[in-house]
Amino acid sequence: MLGIWIVVFLFFGTSREISAVNSSTIQASYFGTDKITRINIAGWKTDGKWQRDMCNVLLQLEDINCINLDWINGSREYIHAVNNLRVVGAEVAYFIDVLVKKFGYSPSKVHLIGHSLGAHLAGEAGSRIPGLGRITGLDPAGPFFHNTPKEVRLDSSDANFVDVIHTNAARILFELGVGTIDACGHLDFYPNGGKHMPGCEDLITPLLKFNFNTYKKEMASFFDCNHARSHQFYAESILNPDAFIAYPCRSYTSFKAGNCFFCPKEGCPTMGHFADRFHLKNMKTNGLYYFLNTGSLSPFARWRHRLSVKLRGSKVTQGTVFLRVGGTIGKTGEFAIASGKLEPGMIYTKLIDADVNVGNITSVQFIWKKHLFEDSQNKLGAEMVINTSGKYGYKSTFCSQDIIGPNIPQNLKPCQPQIQL
């Protein structure tokens, strides 16, 4: 035995240690058989802070049994943790079995949330418990798990629903990743392509300084940052049910090119806590992955739009076109749509990832800025702007007959009737 304890966390920080070996500790705790149970499972050498933070956020949303698994004594060294997770997975399965047999609790109400090695540990437990409700894999560990049989790693057969967030899904020697490159669930999400996250330092710049002691620290920080983004994204999603919309696509390259915009008729899942709202019966199991972009700092969620602007004016000029979009909920900042040669009559289109959910579009503002040495007397305007939302593909069209000088905002009004470019 590894001396494993399971700790229940409640909303106000009150906690109680419980153990399947002594079921009276469960009975004496705050465990409720009428509630959903979510068990947070850390990976290698983790102090448990993210687990405590996760419980605190979860309990803001719902009245649940929030349980944190402490197996630090068996996970201090990576290779030992890989070997021990089979035993720990069996203990978690035993704990759930005690809930079923002694408390009449349904395994379908259990949700295991595992980070790194904890994701595979959750899979091991799930493989032993028929009818387990859900497993969420948060950047499942890669080393010793790449291209392995599903029996030894997290797999979609380990629970009724398995969702996975990949944030460092690359081989450690070639692409500097510690997450698995394998798709593991019913839904596999790849924010920002799933390999390296914006806001996490690159490793090339520190290497050029030739300070290898510092570089070792930078490398550890790099892996920690990318790897940890998975549970940071999940935690943010808990109180934001409409955030992190993910789009089915063959590759991140295709997604960035706009080939998978907007959501198909089956809809799009949201990455994170509410991924289980997506109906699996609507899914096409044809090798699609789910992509989205995030910000580099919290709050990370972004909302995808396609903006197209048709220019009007008297002559070609050099400059940059910006748009602001406002809605019933909020307003975006400026987005550069086109830069360089600006030609009246031409249509310029760009995909943007807004840092606010603006709701239904109510306003569009156009502004252009001239490049250095351009004639300041030149005038341009937006004859028409079309905004297409990523979630539903709704289009809003705005028009104007004005042309303006540089740095002067132009407010467009909804076209009557709505027309298309």
Side-chain angles (χ1 to χ4, degrees):
M1 296 288 287
L2 298 173
I4 297 159
W5 286 91
I6 297 175
V7 183
V8 179
F9 276 80
L10 298 187
F11 184 71
F12 293 105
T14 305
S15 62
R16 186 73 62 90
E17 290 186 345
I18 57 177
S19 170
V21 177
N22 184 1
S23 61
S24 64
T25 61
I26 302 174
Q27 196 160 17
S29 74
Y30 302 94
F31 188 89
T33 56
D34 58 333
K35 302 175 183 179
I36 291 174
T37 297
R38 305 194 193 276
I39 304 177
N40 300 307
I41 306 173
W44 164 54
K45 200 171 62 175
T46 302
D47 63 5
K49 182 180 183 303
W50 77 261
Q51 295 168 283
R52 295 189 294 274
D53 292 343
M54 188 75 78
C55 268
N56 287 333
V57 179
L58 284 166
L59 288 165
Q60 290 181 50
L61 175 71
E62 52 194 3
D63 184 17
I64 59 168
N65 302 309
C66 195
I67 297 175
N68 290 340
L69 176 71
D70 176 9
W71 67 298
I72 187 64
N73 291 334
S75 63
R76 296 186 188 279
E77 301 294 334
Y78 187 83
I79 189 63
H80 295 157
V82 170
N83 293 327
N84 288 336
L85 72 82
R86 308 289 168 211
V87 178
V88 184
E91 290 208 26
V92 173
Y94 175 66
F95 172 77
I96 297 171
D97 191 55
V98 168
L99 296 181
V100 172
K101 292 180 177 177
K102 293 194 175 183
F103 296 89
Y105 195 75
S106 172
S108 66
K109 294 164 68 175
V110 176
H111 176 196
L112 305 181
I113 304 172
H115 176 240
S116 188
L117 285 176
H120 299 301
L121 193 160
E124 178 68 24
S127 68
R128 298 166 179 263
I129 301 292
L132 186 74
R134 179 180 175 185
I135 294 176
T136 296
L138 302 174
D139 206 31
F144 302 110
F145 293 96
H146 290 307
N147 300 322
T148 54
K150 64 181 184 179
E151 289 79 11
V152 298
R153 59 172 174 81
L154 178 63
D155 178 71
S156 60
S157 64
D158 293 329
N160 294 339
F161 177 61
V162 178
D163 57 305
V164 183
I165 300 174
H166 300 270
T167 55
N168 201 200
R171 293 189 182 278
I172 190 167
L173 294 180
F174 302 103
E175 297 179 292
L176 302 175
V178 293
T180 182
I181 60 175
D182 301 310
C184 306
H186 295 101
L187 295 178
D188 282 79
F189 298 96
Y190 296 84
N192 311 299
K195 292 184 179 180
H196 304 128
M197 299 297 104
C200 295
E201 295 293 334
D202 71 272
L203 288 178
I204 302 301
T205 303
L207 185 61
L208 297 177
K209 297 178 182 178
F210 298 103
N211 186 333
F212 293 102
N213 288 328
T214 301
Y215 187 70
K216 287 172 65 178
K217 296 179 181 178
E218 294 279 356
M219 180 175 286
S221 175
F222 172 82
F223 289 133
D224 288 345
C225 181
N226 285 285
H227 209 32
R229 279 289 193 263
S230 56
H231 59 71
Q232 292 167 1
F233 292 159
Y234 189 96
E236 184 177 314
S237 76
I238 293 168
L239 300 179
N240 296 278
D242 296 321
F244 298 112
I245 298 166
Y247 300 84
C249 210
R250 293 289 185 183
S251 69
Y252 187 54
T253 300
S254 186
F255 169 77
K256 289 192 295 182
N259 297 331
C260 306
F261 183 88
F262 38 88
C263 291
K265 64 180 181 180
E266 295 86 4
C268 287
T270 55
M271 179 182 74
H273 190 65
F274 297 98
D276 59 352
R277 290 184 175 180
F278 188 65
H279 298 295
L280 291 177
K281 64 182 180 181
N282 291 335
M283 288 178 51
K284 299 177 181 178
T285 55
N286 56 357
L288 290 178
Y289 305 102
Y290 291 85
F291 295 97
L292 66 156
N293 286 332
T294 73
S296 58
L297 297 172
S298 178
F300 296 105
R302 295 293 182 266
W303 286 264
R304 201 158 177 81
H305 298 258
R306 183 170 61 205
L307 290 171
S308 298
V309 55
K310 183 178 181 181
L311 296 181
R312 64 183 294 120
S314 57
K315 59 186 294 187
V316 175
T317 189
Q318 294 285 327
T320 303
V321 165
F322 298 88
L323 292 176
R324 289 192 186 102
V325 175
T328 54
I329 300 177
K331 180 181 288 187
T332 69
E334 287 185 351
F335 288 99
I337 305 302
S339 186
K341 181 181 177 181
L342 302 177
E343 186 174 347
M346 290 294 292
I347 298 170
Y348 299 89
T349 299
K350 188 171 182 180
L351 287 166
I352 65 168
D353 293 295
D355 59 358
V356 292
N357 181 11
V358 299
N360 295 324
I361 304 299
T362 57
S363 66
V364 171
Q365 190 176 75
F366 169 90
I367 190 169
W368 74 279
K369 300 178 182 180
K370 74 180 187 69
H371 286 179
L372 193 64
F373 305 124
E374 278 296 299
D375 185 357
S376 62
Q377 301 302 311
N378 288 348
K379 291 187 176 181
L380 284 175
E383 179 178 330
M384 187 185 307
V385 171
I386 293 182
N387 171 82
T388 307
S389 69
K391 186 173 183 179
Y392 299 112
Y394 292 159
K395 292 184 178 181
S396 304
T397 310
F398 295 80
C399 297
S400 176
Q401 298 299 312
D402 299 331
I403 57 175
I404 55 174
N407 304 312
I408 301 174
Q410 175 193 16
N411 295 311
L412 286 81
K413 297 181 179 180
C415 299
Q416 298 297 336
Q418 290 282 300
I419 56 179
Q420 307 298 320
L421 290 175

